Each structure stands twice: as C-alpha cells, then as structure tokens.
C-alpha cells in the first residue's frame, strides 16, 4: 500500500534531540529511518514516490539511522540538537539534475544534510566534530563538510554535514568508499575535513588567501 | 408497593436487527414491576419511550389504546412502536416512568441495506491544491445503500480516474465502507474525478482545482520552484523566478536556496551576482581566508565490533573497511 511521506513544513525544525523526549524512544525502536524519511521532504508539500522508489529510498536511508542514533549515544553531543535540513528530493517534472550529482542522489534517498545546533544555533565546532565522528565510525560513500554564506543575515559562516550513502544493495556489497571532502559555497575546499574560522562571511573574504594549515590530526588509515 | 425501576424490564419483541432507513418496525414492551418482581398495576403512571436512533411512533397500553397516558394499566404492560428511519448503528431504547428512567434498556441494531454503487459519495479535501508544493487532495469515496446510508464494511474494488490525467496513490480500503486515495497533479487546471465501485460507474463526479500560488511571505519557498520547461532554471530572468520578492531573512527561504543551489545546473542558471546584489543571498565567493585545521579524509580508527557502542550497532560493521 503506497502512502505518501509526511508533509514537509518549511517553517518547522525537524530536530533529533538526544537523551530526552519521545524521539529517543523512537530511535530505540529502530525507526530512526522513519524520522528521516518522514521529516524530510521537497521544498514543501508531500513527497509521492511509487512503491519501488519508496522501498529503495528507505533502504538507502537506513544507514543514516545509525548516524542519528550514534549522535544520540555519543557523550560529546549531549545537549546539542541534530537537525536534518534536506533529505529525499522529488524533482520537478521539467527539472534537470546532474546524473550522479548530489540532488540526483537525493532523489534516491541517498543524501541527508545535517546541522548541529547548540543554544546559539549552528555550532561550528560541534559540526566539525560530528563530521569527524561520522568519518571515524560510520560507513558512507561520501562525507562533505559544507560551508556557505548563503544567508545574508548570518553572523557566521554556516556549516553543514552532508552524508551520501551508496545505493544499498546488500550491506557488504555496497560502495562504502568513505570519501571525505570539504566545500565552501559549493566549491571544493580540499580533501578531508577542512576547518575554517567561525567568523562572519565578510571577515572570511577579507582575509588573505594564503592558506596555513595549523592543525594535523590522526594518522592516515 | 411502588414501581421498581430496577425490576421493570424493556424488551423488543421482533427482530433486533433492522435495515437502516427502511422504515421497518419493531415492538417494544415495557413491563412495570414492583420490588418483588410482580407486575405493577396499582396506579397509572405516565410512560415515555426514547430511542437514540430511529423513531418511537406511539405507545399504547395492553388494552391497545394509542396514548402516552394509557387507561388499561392494571397488568403493568406498555407497548412502544419503533421505526427504523435513521442511519446505521445501534439504537438504545429506554423508558421513563413518571419522569424517572428505567434501568433496563433494549438495543436494536440498524444495518445497511443493499449497496447502491451508483449513489456512492465522493469527496475531495481540499478541493483546491497548489501543484508546486506537490500538494495532495484526499479523495474519499463512501459506498452507500439504497437509502443513502453508508455501508459499514469494506472489500469492494474501488478505482479513481481523473480527466485530464493526474496521479493517484493506491486506493486504501478503510474497511468501513470508505475508500481513500491521494490525488496530485503537476499542471494547473480543473480535474474531474470519477470513480468505479466493483466496475459500476459512480454517478457523482467532483472537480479538483490545481493552481499555482504566487510567492508570498507565507510561502516564501515557492519562489524557488523551477518554472515548467525551464530545465533547471534555464537562465530565466530573476524576476520570473520571483526571487526578488522573497523575504530573504526568513530561514526556510535560505534553506530552500541552499538546497536548490546544490545542483550545478541551477547555479549555472542563476545570475548569482544579481542575487547577491539584491540581498537575496549572501556573498557566494570562493573561500579566501585562513584554514585553521585539517583532518585528513582517512579513517583514523579501525572499525570493529569492539568499537564503542555508537552508530547503532557497530557489530554489523565488522570487517568492512573504508578506504
């Protein structure tokens, strides 16, 4: 029986708050993927996927459930909220998407975009930490630490974590490439998780272009 | 000895199941008794019958005289006449004697009659939807009987069609005589929705209007919808995208912009410089600051079953190594 995914309310935050509330119970019952599938939508309205699309989208979303539950369980994230801002994408009939691109993969439930919020909104440092946590402890096809300055009223650079999963066939036979990169305003910033200062966009652009890497962590795997 | 409201009884002397709306009748017998259980005939009380569904047409005493204030009351028996002239469900029959309710009651069950598929009712909620939000209208079909009362069970083969063609989800049998499907369409227009029940065409045809709503403060995301035929924005002027009208300070709007611009084809289609100039989006320039840290893109810890219990079941990750 085909049921549409729930309506996406663009005025509502879909928050996974670890450690308290009914969301935790839901996660423990193994329906975290429903949190993702049901709370993420197009730019508004309902998503209608046919049964086969829904089946595959849910399969592709299911590894994201591990990440959401991991966020809940990891002590360092206590008191922070995980917000999924983008998920399953239903393209317009006339819309063209780049094959193999992020939005194209999002139509198959393979992409979820997360933000880590603290008391003051997006927490720059915790977002980086979340990305590192995913990199170290989870399987994925691609992990992107994405910075942007889209919001003209934003007081600091926005940071998000984009997790791309492979087309899930069987767990061992999916492409868990674990590619990690960073981007700034949709342009490559470098391989790995690149940390930039949590300053205002204007300040970022004023700074000189000489890049200095001040921190190296962990050994190559 | 007075009337016992606990000993007195109400019974129905005919079939307890009647067809709803059929005007079928049943007789209801009230037997007044005293506290010993013996028939009460010492006085002549006022008797009233009540039914939660259907109608009490009249009452009479055992002498057969139509009246609410009977004359031949000596054996304590009073008869009420019930008519099944309402919808499906249970009707609870009660009685009052001199204004006091008798504790006993009787139940008559009103069941649907033969389904009349052609008379089935179709409703759409809402009857107007905006297609750019992928909005849906919930179509509900209710199978009714020849009296117009809903059938209460499922199992019928129901299908919907739209003219011009739209999209329906599978029909859900709610197993209560109603059937539900969700309708959506991708083009503006009036869609005529018709239905079949067990291959019989339903008489009623309803209309759903599909419209495009202009961008507004309430629906700021709307402006980011790609116009039909634009093929990923297609370099259309900004004014046609409605972006200049958008309350850019509204964060869902920013979120929608971010989502849209992840697609390179969209970025090519937008005049990014103009968007920045108008304050729709912030300055999307390449990063030119100082990087404060770099964590290499290789896993820094082995994945094994003995890893901390994070990630919702690390044991299933055993032996699977990323590069």
């Amino acid at each position: 029986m085909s049921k549409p995914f729930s309506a996406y309310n663009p005025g509502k935050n879909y928050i996974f708050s670890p450690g308290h509330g009914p969301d935790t119970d839901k996660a423990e019952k193994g329906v975290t993927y429903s949190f993702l599938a049901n709370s993420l939508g197009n730019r508004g309205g309902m998503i209608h996927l046919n049964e086969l699309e829904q089946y595959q989208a849910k399969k592709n979303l299911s590894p994201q459930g591990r990440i959401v539950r991991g966020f809940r369980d990891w002590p360092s994230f206590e008191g922070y909220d995980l917000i999924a801002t983008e998920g399953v994408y239903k393209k317009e009939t006339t819309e063209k998407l780049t094959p193999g691109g992020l939005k194209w993969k999002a139509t198959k439930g393979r992409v979820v975009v997360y933000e880590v919020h603290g008391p003051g909104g997006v927490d720059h440092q915790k977002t980086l930490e979340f990305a590192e946590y995913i990199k170290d402890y989870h399987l994925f096809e691609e992990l992107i630490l994405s910075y942007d300055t889209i919001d003209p009223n934003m007081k600091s650079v926005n940071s998000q974590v984009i997790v791309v999963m492979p087309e899930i066939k069987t767990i061992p036979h999916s492409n868990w490439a674990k590619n990690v990169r960073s981007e700034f305003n949709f342009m490559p910033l470098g391989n790995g998780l690149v940390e930039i200062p949590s300053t205002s966009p204007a300040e970022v652009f004023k700074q000189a272009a000489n890049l200095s890497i001040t921190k190296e962590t962990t050994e190559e795997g | 000895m007075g009337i016992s409201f606990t000993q007195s009884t109400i019974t129905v002397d005919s079939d307890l199941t009647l067809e709803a709306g059929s005007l079928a009748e049943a007789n209801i017998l009230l037997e007044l008794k005293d506290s010993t259980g013996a028939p009460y005939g010492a006085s002549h009380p006022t008797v009233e019958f009540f039914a939660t569904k259907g109608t009490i047409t009249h009452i009479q005493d055992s002498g057969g005289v139509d009246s609410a204030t009977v004359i031949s009351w000596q054996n304590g028996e009073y008869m009420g006449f019930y008519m099944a002239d309402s919808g499906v469900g249970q009707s609870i029959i009660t009685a009052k004697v001199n204004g006091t309710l008798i504790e006993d009651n009787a139940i008559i069950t009103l069941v649907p009659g033969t389904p009349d598929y052609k008379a089935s009712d179709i409703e759409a909620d809402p009857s107007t939807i905006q297609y750019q939000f992928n909005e849906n209208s919930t179509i509900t079909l209710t199978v009714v009987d020849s009296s117009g009362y809903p059938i209460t069970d499922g199992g019928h083969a129901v299908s919907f069609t739209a003219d011009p063609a739209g999209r329906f989800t599978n029909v859900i049998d709610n197993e209560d005589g109603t059937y539900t499907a969700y309708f959506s369409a991708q083009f503006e227009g009036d869609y005529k929705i018709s239905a079949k029940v067990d291959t019989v065409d339903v008489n009623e045809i309803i209309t759903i209007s599909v419209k495009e709503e202009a961008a507004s403060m309430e629906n700021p995301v709307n402006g980011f919808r790609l116009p039909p035929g634009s093929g990923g924005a297609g370099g259309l002027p900004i004014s046609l995208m409605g972006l200049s009208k958008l309350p850019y300070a509204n964060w869902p709007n920013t979120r929608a912009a971010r989502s849209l611009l992840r697609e390179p084809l969209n970025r090519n289609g937008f005049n990014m410089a103009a968007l920045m100039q108008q304050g729709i989006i912030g300055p999307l320039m390449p990063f030119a600051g100082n990087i404060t840290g770099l964590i290499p893109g290789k896993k820094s810890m082995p994945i094994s079953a003995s890893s901390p219990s994070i990630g919702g079941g690390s044991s299933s990750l055993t032996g699977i190594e990323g590069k």
Side-chain angles (χ1 to χ4, degrees):
Chain A
M1 187 175 296
S2 175
K3 291 183 178 178
F5 288 164
S6 302
Y8 168 65
N9 180 351
K12 180 184 175 187
N13 265 334
Y14 293 99
I15 300 174
F16 188 86
S17 298
H20 57 81
D23 284 340
T24 300
D25 297 335
K26 287 180 182 176
E28 287 171 353
K29 290 174 183 173
V31 294
T32 314
Y33 83 90
S34 293
F35 155 77
L36 295 165
N38 289 330
S39 64
L40 302 172
N42 253 10
R43 298 179 287 273
M46 310 277 277
I47 293 179
H48 270 299
L49 303 176
N50 64 38
E51 290 186 38
L52 191 62
E53 288 172 332
Q54 282 195 28
Y55 176 69
Q56 189 57 47
K58 286 178 179 178
K59 277 177 71 176
N60 293 339
L61 277 169
S62 59
Q64 303 278 0
R66 296 173 181 273
I67 293 173
V68 173
R69 292 198 297 275
F71 180 89
R72 177 202 62 188
D73 291 339
W74 194 247
S76 178
F77 299 128
E78 188 173 355
Y80 290 84
D81 290 334
L82 183 64
I83 298 183
T85 62
E86 293 173 50
V88 181
Y89 184 78
K90 180 83 172 178
K91 78 179 187 71
E92 300 289 345
T93 308
T94 57
E95 188 177 4
K96 289 180 181 174
L97 298 176
T98 305
L102 272 182
K103 300 303 286 183
W104 182 84
K105 289 176 180 175
T107 63
K108 302 174 184 308
R110 292 173 56 188
V111 178
V112 173
V113 181
Y114 297 101
E115 286 179 2
V116 179
H117 283 217
V122 173
D123 191 301
H124 207 62
Q125 193 58 39
K126 282 294 172 185
T127 301
L128 177 67
E129 190 177 329
F130 182 53
E132 186 178 7
Y133 158 73
I134 296 171
K135 177 180 80 69
D136 287 342
Y137 295 109
H138 288 275
L139 295 174
F140 50 84
E141 182 181 273
E142 188 173 29
L143 175 67
I144 305 167
L145 180 59
S146 177
Y147 302 97
D148 69 64
T149 56
I150 283 182
D151 188 345
N153 291 344
M154 197 85 172
K155 291 179 180 175
S156 66
V157 174
N158 192 60
S159 50
Q160 298 181 312
V161 177
I162 304 171
V163 182
V164 183
M165 293 295 173
E167 184 80 1
I168 301 297
K169 298 166 187 171
T170 61
I171 294 292
H173 295 101
S174 299
N175 178 29
W176 307 104
K178 294 200 76 170
N179 293 322
V180 181
R181 65 181 175 91
S182 300
E183 64 177 23
F184 187 88
N185 284 337
F186 312 109
M187 286 169 271
L189 194 55
N191 290 328
L193 302 174
V194 176
E195 185 180 4
I196 64 171
S198 175
T199 56
S200 70
E203 187 65 28
V204 169
F205 297 127
K206 273 193 289 185
Q207 293 179 18
N210 58 325
L211 310 180
S212 63
I213 299 173
T214 59
K215 180 181 175 185
E216 289 281 355
T217 60
T218 69
E219 75 284 2
E220 293 286 299
Chain B
M1 195 172 292
I3 299 169
S4 169
F5 296 98
T6 56
Q7 293 283 346
S8 299
T9 59
I10 303 173
T11 53
V12 180
D13 70 348
S14 61
D15 192 349
L16 293 174
T17 302
L18 302 175
E19 186 178 321
S22 65
L23 308 185
E25 291 184 338
N27 298 327
I28 304 158
L29 179 64
L30 168 65
E31 295 178 274
L32 293 183
K33 297 176 181 174
D34 61 23
S35 58
T36 67
Y40 175 85
S43 65
H44 180 211
T46 299
V47 173
E48 301 169 276
F49 284 102
F50 302 91
T52 54
K53 281 179 176 289
T55 306
I56 303 294
T57 55
H58 61 281
I59 65 172
Q60 63 182 199
D61 71 347
S62 57
V65 178
D66 288 358
S67 174
T69 53
V70 294
I71 297 169
S72 301
W73 40 266
Q74 285 84 354
N75 58 3
E77 294 182 353
Y78 299 79
M79 190 76 78
F81 293 92
Y82 174 84
M83 181 182 289
D85 60 354
S86 72
V88 173
Q90 282 192 331
S91 180
I92 301 173
I93 312 298
T94 55
K96 284 184 177 177
V97 177
N98 287 338
T100 302
L101 195 65
I102 297 292
E103 285 192 9
D104 192 22
N105 60 45
I107 293 176
I108 294 175
T109 302
L110 303 178
V111 297
T114 307
D116 182 357
Y117 299 149
K118 289 184 177 180
S120 297
D121 178 63
I122 310 175
E123 290 185 0
D125 181 27
S127 58
T128 300
I129 55 178
Q130 275 83 44
Y131 73 87
Q132 71 271 33
F133 288 118
N134 289 330
E135 276 189 347
N136 295 269
S137 179
T138 304
I139 314 293
T140 304
L141 180 141
T142 305
V143 180
V144 299
D145 65 13
S146 54
S147 300
Y149 292 110
I151 301 296
T152 55
D153 57 356
H156 299 288
V158 173
S159 62
F160 294 103
T161 54
D163 181 23
R167 293 187 300 192
F168 291 97
T169 59
N170 289 351
V171 178
I172 300 166
D173 182 351
N174 299 312
E175 299 181 353
D176 61 356
T178 66
Y179 298 80
T180 305
Y182 299 96
F183 172 79
S184 61
Q186 293 182 312
F187 301 100
E188 280 192 287
D190 290 336
Y191 291 75
K192 295 190 180 306
I193 310 297
S194 55
K196 284 186 177 183
V197 180
D198 289 349
T199 72
V200 176
D201 289 323
V202 174
N203 288 338
E204 186 176 15
I205 296 175
I206 61 171
T207 301
I208 296 177
S209 296
V210 179
K211 296 182 177 179
E212 179 174 16
E213 188 175 294
S216 67
M217 289 294 286
E218 291 73 25
N219 295 311
V221 178
N222 175 45
F224 289 94
R225 179 190 168 275
L226 300 172
S230 65
L236 287 174
I238 293 171
S239 58
L240 291 183
M241 300 297 292
L243 289 174
S244 59
K245 303 172 186 173
L246 296 174
Y248 56 83
N250 186 317
W251 68 261
N253 183 40
T254 299
R255 178 177 291 181
R258 185 177 286 122
S259 173
L260 190 68
L261 295 175
R262 288 197 202 288
E263 171 53 57
L265 292 174
N266 291 342
R267 293 202 293 276
N268 296 337
F270 283 113
N271 184 337
M272 305 288 279
L275 289 175
M276 293 179 210
Q277 191 177 6
Q278 293 180 40
I280 306 291
I281 57 178
L284 292 184
M285 291 181 282
F287 181 75
N290 292 319
I291 289 176
T292 54
L294 173 66
I295 302 170
K298 305 288 183 182
K299 65 179 177 55
S300 56
M301 290 181 66
I303 300 170
S304 72
S306 60
S307 296
S309 59
I310 55 173
S314 57
S315 59
S316 63
L317 305 179
T318 303
I320 302 170
E321 298 281 324
K323 69 179 185 181

